Amino acid sequence: MRKPLIFLSLIALAVIAAVLVADPDPDKLRSLRDGLVDWRDAHPLALPIGFFVTYVVVTALSLPFAVWLTLLGAALLGFWQGLVLISFASSIGALLAFLVARYLMRDWVRGRLGPRLAKIEKGAARDGEFYLFSLRLIPVVPFFVINLAFGLTRMKAWKFYGVSQLGMLPGTAVYVAAGAQLGELDSLSGIVSPGLLGAFAALAVFPWVARAVLRLWTRRRAYRGYKRPAKFDRNLIVIGAGAAGLVASYVAAQAKAKVTLVQEGPMGGDCLNFGCVPSKALIASARAAGVARRSADLGVKAEVSVDWPVVMRRISEVIAQIAPNDSVERYQGLGVEVIEGHARLEDPWTVRVGERRLTARGIVLATGAAPVIPPIEGIETVEPLTSDTLWDALAAMAAPPGKMVILGGGPIGCEIAQALARLGAGVTLIEAAERLLIREDAEAAETIEAALRADGVEVMTGAKAIRFGRDAGKWLELEDGSKLQFDTLLVAVGRKARLEGFGLEDLGIPANRVIETNDYLETMMPNIYAAGDVAGPMQLTNAAGHQGWIAAANALASPFWRFKAHAAPIPHAVFTAPELARVGMTAAQAEAEGVAHEVTTYPLGDLDRALAEGAGEGFVRIVTAKGSDKILGVTICGAHAAEVLAEFVLPMRHGLGLGKILATPHVYPSWSEAAKNAAGRWRQAHVNPRTLKIAERFMSWRRG
């Protein structure tokens, strides 16, 4: 949006500089312009044709001269002739680039555009010509990217041309008007003429006007067939009482809005009752057992005896201690109306809960996700457990399970496998992929796998279960034909968003794996927002909470103010021993997306505090933009990884680099020094040898 103003500002500054420095003669400037006009008049066809062909070529080749050509052409040809020629030339050039991308350079374009292409393909599949029109009207994406990316979509060429011609016309007219005003300058004093100032004002205002018009059009298009209530019962309705729903309700209550929270399951959602809290309580007991077994290395001998009923009772007690923070009573005390029941959308502003009909200006869908049970033959016959049913099953046991199979080597599978093994369970962890934690740094995943094996977990990677059954006992068959006997099966292959039964399909709100939203978490219905697991892309409690406050804030403040959901980096961790924590890209992701980057690795075996505690296993790995200290991603594998990672999340959120971490004093000896020392490794690799030579000579000179 700022580029047009920048270009025109540079033109104005150049003219002003000419006045101040060169003191040009206005008569000579007028003479130069008149000469160009005379040449145009003497060749009435050559100039327009030559300009038209040049503009088509520049656009087709995606050269960065289109804005300058527009201003120049308008200055020489005038508004109407310039508008016609530039409008058709830009559209024809865009079509040529579109066709070249489609038929000659598909692989090159796909590799060049990377993640931007995926976003455009998704938008084109969802909204088709309307999506292209919105991109043309408000150029948030460079036009050459649009030309190339749409060549790889299924859109027909004639539709691409027609929509481009229409969508680019308003913006082209504004540019041409500015160029025409520049061409009519008779003297340098004309820089402040009403016409030219008006052209500058139009360039400044056009993006805002276009965005407002497009948003109004989008709203009318979405609400076609629905009648908006004249007044509403409340400001906000939140559906779901997990992390996203609770945060959204809290934000609304603090803003003194009238808000209703509809909850069908237990308050606190999956995290409090089935996920984060019980699993971390189990891990705490397992960590104590692990430390005790390894205490001899520190000169302390201890025998481990696990009291299983006490372990499970403590998990229930921890949940009970935290539950008041998420309780109905607390939220009612904050001013939130809490209703228990199943909510269903009747129209964009109405929610039905049982016999009650509730209306609100804004609605937040925070319905969460549920565990996936894969469609493997016979799996139901062996009574599979999920993260939702695991805890009651474990509490009913007198001792840790003797033969447990965990299906899925992601974060949940790895955490539970190691914790139960440390507490005395017999655990086999099966992962169909070639390694555990397939989305994480490969070396970190290998470190975690080695730790699991050391704690007694039998890890099977590249192993796919194809059949389950029970006769004398429960068993599963793998793709290689081998069979495993087990007593307990935990399925931890992922979670799917809860999408059914809420009326999304009746309103036509797109929802495939998750509810489709834009950067502001708006669904197709602009007053209905989605947050948390149901919106994706990350199924994390901290991500859900972050999205919850954004959705609530946007629902309450729109259209006067809006926040984007992707502004903050979202960290996550796998709480095994050692821990694995990450924020942003891995090196493999940066490589796959074609991002120019560098990798700095600092081994924790070099950290004094780690050596003092006998925990030197692991590393800090930083991915930075090539030639810069800008942090693109960090992976930490080792003790206290989740806490050390916070040192990197803060500068990433606020646009600071590794230099700021390096310049900040840290406690010695501490685990947080791992961040500073890793930043120091990056700095060492970027010291210019020539600078060192100069410094050496300077110091030699100082010695005399």
Side-chain angles (χ1 to χ4, degrees):
M1 296 297 181
R2 294 189 293 267
K3 286 184 179 180
L5 295 178
I6 293 173
F7 285 137
L8 288 179
S9 298
L10 288 174
I11 294 173
L13 288 174
V15 176
I16 293 171
V19 174
L20 297 176
V21 179
D23 191 23
D25 184 352
D27 291 334
K28 291 182 179 180
L29 293 177
R30 283 196 298 271
S31 177
L32 175 62
R33 190 203 64 179
D34 291 342
L36 291 173
V37 172
D38 290 341
W39 188 87
R40 178 196 66 189
D41 294 339
H43 305 83
L45 293 179
L47 179 62
I49 292 174
F51 177 81
F52 184 87
V53 172
T54 301
Y55 204 108
V56 169
V57 171
V58 166
T59 307
L61 296 178
S62 303
L63 299 177
F65 310 134
V67 172
W68 295 104
L69 274 180
T70 300
L71 297 173
L72 176 62
L76 293 176
L77 300 171
F79 177 78
W80 289 109
Q81 188 177 18
L83 178 62
V84 172
L85 289 177
I86 293 169
S87 177
F88 280 96
S90 60
S91 299
I92 292 172
L95 178 62
L96 291 176
F98 170 95
L99 294 173
V100 167
R102 171 166 292 184
Y103 296 111
L104 299 177
M105 302 177 65
R106 296 187 69 91
D107 293 339
W108 181 87
V109 171
R110 190 168 295 279
R112 182 75 173 175
L113 298 186
R116 287 194 291 187
L117 175 61
K119 186 175 181 179
I120 290 176
E121 286 180 325
K122 181 180 178 181
R126 183 181 66 243
D127 294 325
E129 295 83 4
F130 180 77
Y131 181 67
L132 173 60
F133 180 79
S134 67
L135 291 178
R136 291 303 197 191
L137 189 64
I138 306 175
V140 293
V141 178
F143 278 170
F144 81 90
V145 173
I146 298 172
N147 300 338
L148 298 175
F150 269 86
L152 272 59
T153 68
R154 296 183 178 182
M155 183 173 290
K156 295 184 181 299
W158 66 269
K159 286 186 178 180
F160 174 82
Y161 174 83
V163 173
S164 297
Q165 181 88 52
L166 181 63
M168 290 191 292
L169 185 59
T172 300
V174 174
Y175 282 106
V176 171
Q181 288 295 322
L182 288 172
E184 292 178 4
L185 287 178
D186 291 324
S187 65
L188 294 177
S189 62
I191 293 174
V192 293
S193 67
L196 190 55
L197 291 177
F200 273 87
L203 277 176
V205 171
F206 173 74
W208 298 93
V209 173
R211 185 180 284 111
V213 170
L214 186 61
R215 194 170 181 203
L216 180 61
W217 184 13
T218 302
R219 293 178 70 89
R220 291 179 64 88
R221 183 169 171 252
Y223 295 137
R224 189 180 298 121
Y226 296 101
K227 184 177 180 181
R228 184 175 181 269
K231 58 183 299 185
F232 302 96
D233 303 329
R234 46 194 51 77
N235 299 96
L236 186 67
I237 296 173
V238 179
I239 301 174
L246 292 178
V247 171
S249 300
Y250 180 88
V251 168
Q254 293 301 298
K256 303 305 178 184
K258 187 174 181 182
V259 54
T260 296
L261 172 63
V262 184
Q263 55 97 9
E264 188 172 10
M267 292 287 286
D270 298 326
C271 181
L272 171 63
N273 299 284
F274 313 119
C276 314
V277 173
S279 66
K280 301 315 168 282
L282 180 72
I283 289 170
S285 297
R287 183 185 301 115
V291 169
R293 290 192 181 96
R294 290 170 172 78
S295 62
D297 296 339
L298 301 178
V300 178
K301 294 184 178 180
E303 292 187 6
V304 177
S305 176
V306 176
D307 190 331
W308 181 252
V310 173
V311 170
M312 297 310 300
R313 184 166 63 248
R314 181 180 174 276
I315 292 174
S316 298
E317 291 171 353
V318 171
I319 294 174
Q321 289 172 348
I322 297 175
N325 296 329
D326 298 343
S327 65
V328 172
E329 292 75 18
R330 177 176 182 241
Y331 276 80
Q332 287 177 337
L334 292 170
V336 178
E337 178 189 26
V338 182
I339 299 177
E340 184 174 352
H342 178 75
R344 185 178 179 86
L345 298 167
E346 285 197 347
D347 64 42
W349 305 276
T350 305
V351 174
R352 178 175 288 279
V353 183
E355 298 300 318
R356 297 185 62 179
R357 294 180 75 253
L358 316 174
T359 62
R361 181 180 291 275
I363 297 171
V364 174
L365 301 172
T367 54
V372 172
I373 296 182
I376 302 174
E377 181 184 339
I379 193 169
E380 295 296 341
T381 67
V382 296
E383 301 170 330
L385 300 175
T386 67
S387 57
D388 286 3
T389 59
L390 172 67
W391 307 105
D392 287 341
L394 292 179
M397 298 178 183
K403 292 182 179 180
M404 185 176 198
V405 166
I406 298 179
L407 207 61
I412 295 175
C414 289
E415 288 180 359
I416 299 299
Q418 186 184 48
L420 289 177
R422 284 183 156 193
L423 293 170
V427 183
T428 300
L429 180 61
I430 298 176
E431 168 57 49
E434 292 305 311
R435 64 175 175 88
L436 303 179
L437 302 168
I438 195 66
R439 296 180 180 178
E440 305 300 334
D441 179 274
E443 184 180 351
E446 291 170 3
T447 302
I448 300 301
E449 180 176 337
L452 265 60
R453 292 184 186 276
D455 281 318
V457 179
E458 182 181 356
V459 179
M460 303 178 68
T461 55
K464 184 178 180 181
I466 62 170
R467 188 176 299 106
F468 288 87
R470 60 189 307 168
D471 29 54
K474 299 176 183 178
W475 53 266
L476 71 85
E477 183 180 349
L478 298 175
E479 199 171 36
D480 63 5
S482 61
K483 283 189 176 184
L484 295 177
Q485 300 289 327
F486 63 89
D487 300 323
T488 307
L489 172 67
L490 172 63
V491 177
V493 296
R495 300 173 65 84
K496 63 178 180 180
R498 294 187 177 99
L499 303 171
E500 294 80 20
F502 301 103
L504 301 176
E505 58 283 351
D506 295 338
L507 269 62
I509 295 177
N512 187 10
R513 293 179 61 253
V514 295
I515 297 175
E516 293 187 14
T517 61
N518 62 13
D519 291 341
Y520 304 96
L521 298 179
E522 294 175 344
T523 67
M524 188 190 75
M525 299 291 182
N527 73 301
I528 299 178
Y529 297 77
D533 291 355
V534 77
M538 292 180 286
Q539 294 182 343
L540 299 169
T541 298
N542 53 340
H546 179 70
Q547 289 185 348
W549 83 257
I550 288 177
N554 287 342
L556 296 172
S558 180
F560 306 105
W561 196 263
R562 296 195 300 170
F563 301 89
K564 287 190 175 183
H566 58 70
I570 303 296
H572 66 274
V574 183
F575 291 93
T576 49
E579 293 178 357
L580 192 165
R582 177 166 68 87
V583 63
M585 290 182 165
T586 64
Q589 288 172 335
E591 190 73 30
E593 295 179 13
V595 177
H597 67 283
E598 297 173 350
V599 178
T600 301
T601 300
Y602 172 73
L604 292 178
D606 290 350
L607 182 68
D608 293 356
R609 182 60 182 269
L611 294 174
E613 295 189 4
E617 180 184 31
F619 57 86
V620 177
R621 180 160 292 152
I622 308 171
V623 180
T624 51
K626 192 171 183 62
S628 165
D629 71 342
K630 179 181 178 181
I631 306 168
L632 301 179
V634 179
T635 296
I636 304 177
C637 181
H640 307 287
E643 275 65 42
V644 176
L645 187 70
E647 286 253 359
F648 296 99
V649 179
L650 182 68
M652 286 181 70
R653 177 66 178 93
H654 297 286
L656 305 177
L658 291 177
K660 297 297 184 182
I661 296 177
L662 185 59
T664 302
H666 287 64
V667 171
Y668 176 86
S670 67
W671 284 95
S672 64
E673 275 196 308
K676 181 177 182 178
N677 293 353
R681 284 288 176 96
W682 176 88
R683 174 63 68 194
Q684 290 172 2
H686 288 79
V687 174
N688 191 324
R690 188 173 301 173
T691 302
L692 291 178
K693 284 289 186 183
I694 294 174
E696 183 180 9
R697 291 175 183 174
F698 175 74
M699 292 302 173
S700 176
W701 172 78
R702 293 273 288 176
R703 291 193 299 270

